[in-house]
Amino acid sequence: MKTIYIPFVAFALGLMSFSTPTKTTSKKVTSGAEATRNVPTSIKWKSETIDLGEIPQGIPKPIEFEFKNTGKEAIVVVSAQGSCGCTSTDFPKTPVLPGATTKITATFNAANKGAFTKTVTVRIASEETPIVLTFKGTVI
């Protein structure tokens, strides 16, 4: 009796997997410069990449990424996260009004000597795609 029951259950489960509806989503893919640029149109960055040159080991180095809200609505920075534990961040906690200029600060504390490239990922409330800011240099 058990040998008949087990194949029947397996067959029934197989049929259920075919009849279960699945949700599919589509995503618009763009090409050219639009696809490679992560910057929302309502933000103008002074610089998205900062070269620090040579910095001393073990001394925290603040890096300021300045931006201006060029849109017609306030911008809300949801988060700014460093790519490693050696980078802390600070960002505006209040909405950035149209025409206002402010900054996101990343503080890098280099433990190891040598060349480095680090990123800060910024999420804006009205944007799907995060902004990736970069800083680089050499620890001496």
Side-chain angles (χ1 to χ4, degrees):
M1 182 77 170
K2 288 182 182 179
T3 55
I4 296 173
Y5 181 73
I6 292 173
F8 177 76
V9 171
F11 176 75
L13 288 174
L15 285 177
M16 286 184 353
S17 68
F18 285 114
S19 63
T20 305
T22 57
K23 183 178 180 183
T24 59
T25 58
S26 61
K27 194 172 192 177
K28 183 179 177 185
V29 177
T30 57
S31 61
E34 192 178 67
T36 59
R37 188 169 172 119
N38 287 344
V39 180
T41 57
S42 59
I43 294 179
K44 174 71 175 160
W45 293 92
K46 184 174 181 180
S47 180
E48 295 173 51
T49 301
I50 297 176
D51 189 341
L52 301 174
E54 293 183 342
I55 64 169
Q57 181 182 18
I59 299 175
K61 174 72 174 170
I63 305 103
E64 294 181 346
F65 292 96
E66 189 175 310
F67 70 92
K68 182 176 184 176
N69 178 352
T70 59
K72 295 181 182 191
E73 295 182 19
I75 293 173
V76 177
V77 179
V78 177
S79 68
Q81 185 173 4
S83 58
C84 67
C86 57
T87 305
S88 62
T89 60
D90 187 34
F91 58 93
K93 307 303 188 275
T94 57
V96 181
L97 299 176
T101 300
T102 191
K103 63 187 172 190
I104 292 176
T105 303
T107 303
F108 177 61
N109 192 0
N112 300 316
K113 291 184 177 183
F116 66 88
T117 300
K118 303 292 180 183
T119 61
V120 175
T121 302
V122 179
R123 297 196 184 277
I124 306 295
S126 61
E127 302 292 330
E128 287 184 34
T129 305
I131 301 157
V132 179
L133 305 171
T134 304
F135 62 94
K136 59 186 177 178
T138 303
V139 178
I140 54 172

